[in-house]
């Protein structure tokens, strides 16, 4: 049986050591019996040393074989390559640097993963098999009121948030080994700061490969803020509903008058004229609504920054000249207060003129006969400010926050009577936003209203 170098080294070294010891003892012993006894014990000791050396060499080979499965193959046992312990030493030395490099690579990958998860706009939550938090990124920590992501790690998932949808989805994904989706609203306590309140959650199990199959190590959830999406969807539904209603009303009136003219007995001239005037009125209302919708769509879809320098005195003057006859017809005094110096802005001329026209036209329509509409223009703190002040019925406080919404009317009956489309102030708001400005209103019931439009002044 071939023995390894380690065996022979251990065996021969042990024999030499034992033989020298027993020979030294034999020299001291007296007589032939003592020498025979010494050599017998030496022989038995040699056999014991051989067995011990063989066992130790075998264990060294097994250790080398197991170590070779952890990294690169072990050095082959060729002549001159040394015994098992020497080869194991060479193997460990060669793999030490590789092991350190792999550890550094794992740390770098972990840091990159942490940076990616931390930079996501979505919230990320992961738990282990014991339902404790493995990872929580900064976005999720902020949403759920945690002081810091690291403080949540290791805590039970139930302590992360009061939302049962989060823990329930993670546990279900882990138990069923399947993706789970949830949509939920965030529960806030009284006094908590506002923020996103509608979320969509997608949870998946964390699986690790094993020789006997995949093992569930936990679950991870990605949480999306859908607050703005749901708000926009609600706006879209309301817009479609309002447009359908506003279009249907004049179309129904027009169809009714036309059918009457076609199907009724011969109609006298005055009645026919009255019907035709109503058809014209509803047609004009329909045309104004479509026109305002197109204007609003054009303003909202425009992406080019306004670059033309405009003097608001000129644009406001054109609007006043255009609406002068209407104000005179209603017995109103239209007063302009413009500065001597130019009030310039960077803007789209047609859009700004439309916004100014809507503000002044509303003031004229809702003012009582004999009243006054004041249009004041000034430059103030790097802004061009236009104010339109009327002496109309005013607006109750509960309507002020919604007055610039599409199709919102304080008095629907009067608005339709005056030919309003419900889009005028929405156009003003979008024009102001498009140019980096804003619009606001001050009003009190029975004391008139003041609308204030401001735009950044041109440098």
């Amino acid at each position: 049986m071939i023995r390894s170098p380690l065996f022979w080294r251990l065996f021969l070294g042990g024999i030499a050591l034992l033989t020298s010891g027993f020979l030294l003892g034999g020299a001291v012993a007296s007589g032939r019996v003592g020498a025979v006894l010494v050599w017998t014990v030496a022989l038995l000791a040699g056999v014991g040393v051989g067995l011990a050396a063989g066992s130790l060499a075998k264990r060294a080979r097994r250790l080398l074989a197991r170590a070779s499965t952890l990294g690169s193959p072990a050095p082959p046992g060729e002549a001159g390559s040394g015994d098992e312990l020497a080869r194991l030493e060479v193997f460990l030395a060669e793999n030490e640097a590789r092991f350190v490099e792999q550890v550094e690579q794992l740390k770098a990958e972990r840091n990159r993963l942490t940076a990616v998860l931390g930079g996501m706009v979505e919230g990320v939550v992961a738990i282990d098999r014991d339902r404790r938090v493995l990872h929580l990124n900064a976005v999720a920590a902020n949403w759920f009121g945690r002081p810091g992501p690291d403080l949540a790690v290791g805590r039970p998932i139930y302590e992360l948030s009061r939302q049962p949808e989060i823990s329930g989805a993670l546990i279900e994904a882990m138990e069923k080994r399947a993706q789970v989706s949830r949509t939920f609203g965030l529960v806030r306590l009284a006094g908590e700061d506002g923020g996103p309140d509608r979320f969509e959650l997608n949870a998946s199990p964390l699986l690790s490969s094993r020789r006997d199959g995949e093992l569930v190590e936990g679950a991870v959830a990605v949480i999306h803020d859908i607050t703005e999406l749901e708000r926009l969807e609600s706006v879209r539904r309301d817009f479609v509903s309002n447009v359908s209603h506003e279009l249907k009303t004049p179309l129904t009136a027009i169809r009714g008058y036309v059918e009457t003219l076609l199907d009724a007995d011969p109609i006298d001239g005055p009645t026919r004229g009255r019907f035709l005037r109503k058809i014209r009125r509803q047609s004009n209302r329909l045309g104004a609504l479509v026109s305002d919708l197109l204007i609003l769509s054009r303003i909202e879809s425009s992406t080019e920054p306004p670059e033309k320098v405009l003097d608001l005195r000129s644009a406001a003057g054109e609007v006043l000249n255009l609406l002068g006859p209407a104000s005179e017809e209603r017995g109103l005094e239209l007063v302009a207060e413009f500065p001597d110096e130019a009030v310039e802005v960077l803007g789209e001329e047609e859009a700004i003129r439309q916004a100014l026209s809507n503000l002044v036209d509303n003031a004229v329509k809702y003012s009582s006969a004999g009243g006054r509409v004041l249009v004041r223009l000034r430059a103030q703190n790097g802004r061009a400010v236009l104010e339109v002040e009327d002496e109309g019925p005013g607006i109750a406080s509960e309507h002020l926050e919604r007055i610039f919404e599409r199709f919102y009317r304080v008095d629907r009956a009067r608005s339709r009577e005056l030919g309003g489309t419900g889009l005028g102030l929405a156009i003003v708001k979008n024009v102001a936003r498009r140019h980096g400005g804003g619009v606001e209103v001050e009003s009190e019931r029975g004391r008139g209203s003041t609308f204030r439009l401001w735009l950044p002044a041109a440098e």
Side-chain angles (χ1 to χ4, degrees), residues 362-386:
N362 279 352
V364 171
K365 285 180 179 179
Y366 289 95
S367 293
S368 303
R372 185 184 73 157
V373 174
L374 174 62
V375 181
R376 184 184 299 111
L377 180 64
R378 68 180 184 275
Q380 182 181 24
N381 299 327
R383 295 177 174 181
V385 182
L386 178 95

Side-chain angles (χ1 to χ4, degrees), residues 189-441:
L189 296 178
E192 287 187 334
D193 295 335
D197 53 16
R198 293 293 298 172
F199 298 93
E200 181 183 59
L201 179 149
N202 294 290
S204 301
L206 291 174
L207 303 176
S208 61
S209 298
R210 294 289 189 272
R211 293 181 179 179
D212 55 349
E214 291 184 330
L215 180 66
V216 178
E217 298 288 354
V220 60
V222 179
I223 307 172
H224 305 267
D225 174 15
I226 59 172
T227 306
E228 184 65 14
L229 289 177
E230 291 201 352
R231 187 192 69 81
L232 292 176
E233 178 62 21
S234 177
V235 170
R236 185 194 66 80
R237 288 195 301 265
D238 292 344
F239 179 73
V240 172
S241 176
N242 287 326
V243 169
S244 300
H245 177 75
E246 294 295 335
L247 290 175
K248 184 178 179 180
T249 301
L251 286 175
T252 301
I254 291 173
R255 184 175 61 183
Y257 289 125
V258 170
E259 289 178 352
T260 301
L261 290 174
L262 292 175
D263 300 337
D265 293 333
I267 300 177
D268 58 89
T271 303
R272 180 183 296 105
R274 187 174 72 256
F275 280 9
L276 291 175
R277 285 191 295 272
K278 290 183 178 181
I279 291 174
R280 181 177 63 184
R281 180 180 177 183
Q282 296 297 331
S283 299
N284 291 337
R285 178 183 170 188
L286 189 61
L289 177 60
V290 172
S291 177
D292 282 353
L293 286 172
L294 292 175
I295 292 172
L296 191 59
S297 176
R298 179 177 60 83
I299 293 172
E300 290 181 338
S301 62
S302 179
T303 57
E304 294 296 328
E307 298 180 351
K308 186 176 181 180
V309 178
L310 305 174
D311 186 353
L312 287 186
R313 296 181 305 171
S314 176
E318 294 179 11
V319 170
L320 294 181
N321 290 333
L322 182 65
L323 296 178
S327 62
E328 292 177 1
E329 183 179 347
R330 295 183 61 84
L332 297 174
E333 182 184 5
L334 199 56
V335 181
E337 292 185 1
F338 296 168
D340 296 332
E341 300 80 12
V343 181
E344 295 181 335
V345 297
L346 284 177
E348 184 182 348
E349 185 173 5
E350 182 60 31
I352 291 179
R353 187 182 294 111
Q354 182 69 46
L356 299 182
S357 176
N358 288 352
L359 289 178
V360 178
D361 184 52
N362 279 352
V364 171
K365 285 180 179 179
Y366 289 95
S367 293
S368 303
R372 185 184 73 157
V373 174
L374 174 62
V375 181
R376 184 184 299 111
L377 180 64
R378 68 180 184 275
Q380 182 181 24
N381 299 327
R383 295 177 174 181
V385 182
L386 178 95
E387 292 181 345
V388 179
E389 181 182 330
D390 64 58
E391 298 176 352
I395 304 170
S397 58
E398 62 266 22
H399 299 294
L400 294 180
E401 291 186 359
R402 302 188 60 189
I403 195 68
F404 295 100
E405 294 180 9
R406 302 172 184 177
F407 298 110
Y408 186 84
R409 295 183 174 95
V410 176
D411 187 342
R412 289 184 175 272
R414 186 175 184 186
S415 177
R416 290 198 178 103
E417 180 184 351
L418 296 174
T421 64
L423 293 173
L425 292 179
I427 291 175
V428 174
K429 179 181 178 179
N430 279 272
V431 169
R433 184 180 299 171
R434 166 89 173 84
H435 290 78
V439 62
E440 55 191 28
V441 58

